[in-house]
Amino acid sequence: QVQLVESGGGLVQAGGSLRLSCAASGRTFSTYTMGWFRQAPGKEREFVAAITWSGGTTYSKDSVKGRFTISRDNAKNAVYLQMNSLKPEDTAVYYCAAGVRGTRTADYWGQGTQVTVSS
């Protein structure tokens, strides 16, 4: 069982940056592929980025490549999403996920944190 709590969301102007954090509980955190998904109003939840258990492999949605960076610290049971050059279309609720499989699903989800990018 893994419990996830996100933080770091907020309101930022276009071109700005935010860093999302996800604190995980559970002794098996380091074995999971971790990721971030997001859901904009009126849209389905979509994959953003993921990182394997060792941190050796990351993959992300094309529209965020070069702007967003996912990382993890297994010693702290934490995963991060550094978001730079934010755009209004990045506005969404961002969810941390554990046990990510591909780009569509995960075993555990956080409650989400709101990111709003103003133009």
Side-chain angles (χ1 to χ4, degrees):
Q1 188 77 8
V2 177
Q3 293 184 328
L4 306 169
V5 179
E6 303 95 335
S7 61
L11 173 64
V12 64
Q13 289 188 331
S17 298
L18 282 175
R19 188 192 193 210
L20 304 184
S21 298
C22 175
S25 63
R27 297 172 61 185
T28 59
F29 168 81
S30 63
T31 67
Y32 286 102
T33 292
M34 300 295 297
W36 292 92
F37 290 71
R38 67 187 182 187
Q39 187 168 19
K43 295 186 178 181
E44 292 186 352
R45 186 164 54 191
E46 65 176 4
F47 169 79
V48 176
I51 185 167
T52 55
W53 69 272
S54 67
T57 300
T58 64
Y59 53 103
S60 59
K61 177 181 175 65
D62 285 346
S63 64
V64 308
K65 287 179 179 177
R67 300 190 298 123
F68 292 9
T69 302
I70 188 170
S71 61
R72 68 189 295 163
D73 186 336
N74 287 341
K76 296 182 178 179
N77 277 15
V79 63
Y80 309 99
L81 186 68
Q82 177 66 44
M83 304 186 294
N84 299 327
S85 301
L86 282 161
K87 304 176 180 181
E89 52 264 42
D90 294 318
T91 295
V93 177
Y94 283 70
Y95 297 90
C96 178
V100 174
R101 295 191 293 276
T103 62
R104 293 189 175 273
T105 190
D107 294 326
Y108 302 100
W109 299 91
Q111 83 288 349
T113 185
Q114 177 70 47
V115 171
T116 303
V117 184
S118 63
S119 58

